[in-house]
């Protein structure tokens, strides 16, 4: 009888384990491929945040996430989420996920957090959270540029109903070297203006919390980042976003430096102030065409050095031959004055793509591409005497 009971218990546990496994959410992102270039042999990547990423990436990158709602009773729920990210150059069959030659890690813990709902009366969307997570990230996909991203380890409350919109507040660790910095992140989203238009406002305060010994070694300045994002839906069959940001000190440096609002430089003592204006979106002027674009202008000024300014423009038109086959074009240009150093360049790419659906955002997407790169100020950008480069290759991108 004991053997029968033990067997029944083992079978029951196995069935419960299988049911639990079936309910786990598996999500992530990946890109990988192969390419060759004319001057450098291997595939190359050149200023992709500024001239566009299509046919301009030379790595293998993936994010693997597992999440599960572990409790849901009496109107209360707890969700546990996790994610590891891996990165290699894709040059060999066996690539260990250890440490690169420069000391950087090939594998990283990106998310491990718990989100709790049902604890704010009459506010089903409001959530409490703590842990390490991607926090309400804002990015331009065609250039892989994150312009508002304060992800990290922290805690907060989000989507709390307040008037016509939702309030979120978080405290997130954002250490600068060995100096502790707390990023105080306050956002108000969902403020409806006119038809299909909404406004999101945000304030980030970089609060430096140095030790007495660190304070004795030098001054550390707090910083402020202000963000306003206007989203217009129903715009030529798609959407358009206009973003205005202003930052001081460590955040000011990031404006022309194309930072995301984290990795705050607490030791910046040069009175940095900066702003940037961003316009980006995706439109569908016809059933056969979709077009993504970005336009960025940013400037940072300092007390004792020259300004840093940058202009970037990228456009990605896609022509759909069918629901699963498209031809993609991408052109990008940037012009930058980095404290007296002139930088500028461009990229042209054409790609034939096979994709999981007709949408601009449909993935997986398998592409065969050819790119032409130009650097207008550095005669040796791609090797001695080479200011231009071409590459051909294949890449796949997926999210799920």
């Amino acid at each position: 009888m004991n053997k029968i009971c033990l067997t029944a218990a083992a079978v029951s546990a196995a069935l419960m384990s299988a049911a639990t496994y079936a309910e786990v959410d598996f999500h992530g992102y990946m890109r990988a491929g192969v390419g060759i270039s004319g001057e450098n042999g291997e595939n190359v990547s050149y200023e992709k945040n500024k001239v566009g990423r299509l046919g301009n990436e030379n790595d293998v990158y993936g994010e693997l996430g597992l999440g599960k709602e572990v409790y849901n009773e009496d109107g209360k729920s707890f969700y546990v989420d996790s994610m590891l990210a891996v990165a290699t150059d894709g040059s060999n069959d066996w690539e260990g996920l250890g440490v690169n030659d420069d000391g950087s890690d090939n594998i990283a813990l990106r998310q491990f957090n718990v989100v709790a709902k049902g604890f704010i009366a009459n506010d089903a969307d409001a959530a409490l959270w703590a842990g390490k997570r991607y926090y309400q990230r804002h990015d331009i996909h065609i250039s892989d540029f994150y312009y508002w991203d304060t992800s990290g380890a922290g805690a907060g409350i989000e989507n709390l109903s307040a008037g016509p919109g939702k309030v979120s507040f978080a405290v997130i660790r954002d250490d600068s070297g060995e100096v502790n910095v707390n990023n105080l992140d306050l956002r108000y989203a969902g403020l409806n203006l006119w038809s299909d238009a909404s406004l999101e406002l945000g304030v980030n305060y970089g609060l430096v919390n140095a030790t007495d010994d660190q304070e004795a070694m030098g001054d550390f300045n707090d910083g402020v980042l202000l963000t306003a994002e206007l989203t217009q839906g129903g715009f030529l069959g798609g959407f358009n976003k206009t973003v205005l940001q202003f930052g001081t000190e460590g955040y000011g440096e990031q404006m022309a430096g194309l930072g995301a609002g984290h990795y705050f430089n607490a030791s910046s003592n040069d009175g940095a102030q900066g702003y940037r204006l961003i316009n980006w979106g995706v439109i569908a002027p016809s059933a056969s065409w979709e077009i993504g674009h970005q336009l960025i202008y940013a400037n940072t000024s300092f007390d004792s050095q020259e300004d840093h300014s940058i202009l970037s423009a990228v456009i990605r038109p896609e022509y759909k031959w069918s629901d699963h086959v498209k031809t993609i074009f991408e052109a990008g240009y940037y012009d930058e004055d980095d404290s007296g150093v002139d930088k500028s360049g461009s990229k042209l790419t054409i790609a034939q793509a096979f994709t999981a659906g007709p949408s601009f955002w449909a993935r997986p997407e398998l592409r065969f591409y050819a790119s032409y790169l130009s650097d207008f100020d550095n005669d040796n950008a791609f090797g001695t005497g080479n200011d231009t480069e071409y590459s051909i290759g294949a890449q796949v991108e997926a999210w799920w």
Side-chain angles (χ1 to χ4, degrees), residues 3 5 27 56 68 81 118 126 136 162 254 344 366 369 372 395:
K3 289 182 179 180
C5 290
H27 51 94
N56 191 26
K68 179 174 173 56
D81 202 12
Q136 299 190 26
Q254 295 185 40
S344 60
L366 176 62
Y369 66 84
Y372 184 76
Q395 186 195 51

Side-chain angles (χ1 to χ4, degrees), residues 163-371:
K166 302 282 189 178
V167 169
S168 299
F169 178 73
V171 180
I172 302 169
R173 281 288 294 273
D174 186 15
D175 291 355
S176 172
E178 297 180 354
V179 181
N180 178 264
V181 179
N182 293 306
N183 190 334
L184 310 183
D185 188 303
L186 176 65
R187 309 189 186 198
Y188 187 71
L191 180 60
N192 294 322
L193 302 179
W194 51 84
S195 178
D196 296 322
S198 64
L199 180 66
E200 181 172 0
L201 303 172
V203 179
N204 290 92
Y205 189 87
L207 179 63
V208 181
N209 187 21
T211 65
D212 290 341
D213 290 340
Q214 290 168 339
E215 290 283 6
M217 291 187 296
D219 295 329
F220 299 100
N221 297 323
D222 297 346
V224 176
L225 172 64
L226 306 177
T227 301
E229 180 179 86
L230 173 65
T231 301
Q232 178 65 62
F235 183 79
L236 298 177
F239 68 91
N240 185 268
K241 290 179 179 284
T242 300
V243 184
L244 178 61
Q245 294 182 293
F246 172 81
T248 67
E249 302 300 343
Y251 294 131
E253 289 183 338
Q254 295 185 40
M255 294 297 95
L258 300 187
H262 58 68
Y263 301 122
F264 181 82
N265 182 7
S267 60
S268 174
N269 296 310
D270 203 14
Q273 290 192 1
Y275 66 91
R276 63 186 172 207
L277 180 63
I278 302 170
N279 185 270
W280 74 277
V282 177
I283 62 173
S286 73
S288 298
W289 286 96
E290 282 191 275
I291 303 171
H293 82 278
Q294 81 166 30
L295 182 63
I296 300 170
Y297 178 77
N299 179 273
T300 297
S301 60
F302 304 89
D303 287 343
S304 60
Q305 59 180 301
E306 296 183 46
D307 287 4
H308 182 186
S309 63
I310 182 171
L311 172 68
S312 166
V314 182
I315 186 168
R316 183 191 287 191
E318 299 187 351
Y319 180 78
K320 307 171 192 177
W321 300 96
S322 70
D323 284 351
H324 301 287
V325 180
K326 63 177 69 171
T327 300
I328 309 174
F329 308 90
E330 187 172 86
Y333 168 82
Y334 85 101
D335 185 31
E336 184 173 7
D337 182 351
D338 187 356
S339 301
V341 178
D342 292 330
K343 302 176 182 179
S344 60
S346 67
K347 179 187 74 76
L348 296 171
T349 299
I350 183 171
Q352 191 65 21
F354 304 88
T355 188
S359 169
F360 187 92
W361 306 103
R363 299 294 186 276
E365 185 172 85
L366 176 62
R367 311 151 179 159
F368 297 90
Y369 66 84
S371 295

Side-chain angles (χ1 to χ4, degrees), residues 18-162:
T20 300
Y21 176 79
E23 295 172 0
V24 172
D25 300 323
F26 176 50
H27 51 94
Y29 170 84
M30 64 81 61
R31 65 172 178 264
V34 64
I36 60 174
S37 60
E39 303 295 341
N40 292 271
E42 63 183 7
N43 200 9
V44 296
S45 180
Y46 171 73
E47 301 287 6
K48 71 174 182 176
N49 294 155
K50 304 169 186 177
V51 299
R53 69 191 296 183
L54 182 68
N56 191 26
E57 293 177 303
N58 61 349
D59 60 345
V60 174
Y61 178 75
E63 297 173 341
L64 301 174
L66 294 174
K68 179 174 173 56
E69 185 180 67
V70 297
Y71 180 89
N72 193 334
E73 293 184 16
D74 303 322
K76 309 287 192 299
S77 70
F78 289 86
Y79 190 91
V80 179
D81 202 12
S82 64
M83 178 178 285
L84 294 177
V86 295
T88 75
D89 62 12
S91 61
N92 293 286
D93 172 32
W94 181 272
E95 292 184 297
L97 298 178
V99 179
N100 293 313
D101 293 338
D102 63 2
S104 61
D105 294 321
N106 278 333
I107 186 167
L109 176 65
R110 298 308 312 274
Q111 301 196 75
F112 223 141
N113 62 82
V114 174
V115 178
K117 291 185 176 181
F119 290 87
I120 308 298
N122 303 315
D123 201 347
D125 292 334
L128 303 170
W129 69 273
K132 184 177 176 66
R133 63 173 287 193
Y134 288 163
Y135 186 68
Q136 299 190 26
R137 305 190 303 172
H138 293 234
D139 71 296
I140 305 173
H141 173 70
I142 63 173
S143 61
D144 199 25
F145 170 42
Y146 286 81
Y147 55 89
W148 196 10
D149 176 13
T150 58
S151 301
I157 182 170
E158 61 182 340
N159 298 325
L160 180 67
S161 296

Side-chain angles (χ1 to χ4, degrees), residues 350-400:
I350 183 171
Q352 191 65 21
F354 304 88
T355 188
S359 169
F360 187 92
W361 306 103
R363 299 294 186 276
E365 185 172 85
L366 176 62
R367 311 151 179 159
F368 297 90
Y369 66 84
S371 295
Y372 184 76
L373 311 169
S374 299
D375 191 299
F376 303 138
D377 291 293
N378 182 2
D379 292 337
N380 303 310
F382 305 103
T384 303
N386 296 314
D387 59 3
T388 63
E389 179 63 291
Y390 71 85
S391 63
I392 59 174
Q395 186 195 51
V396 64
E397 182 181 50
W399 50 66
W400 63 94

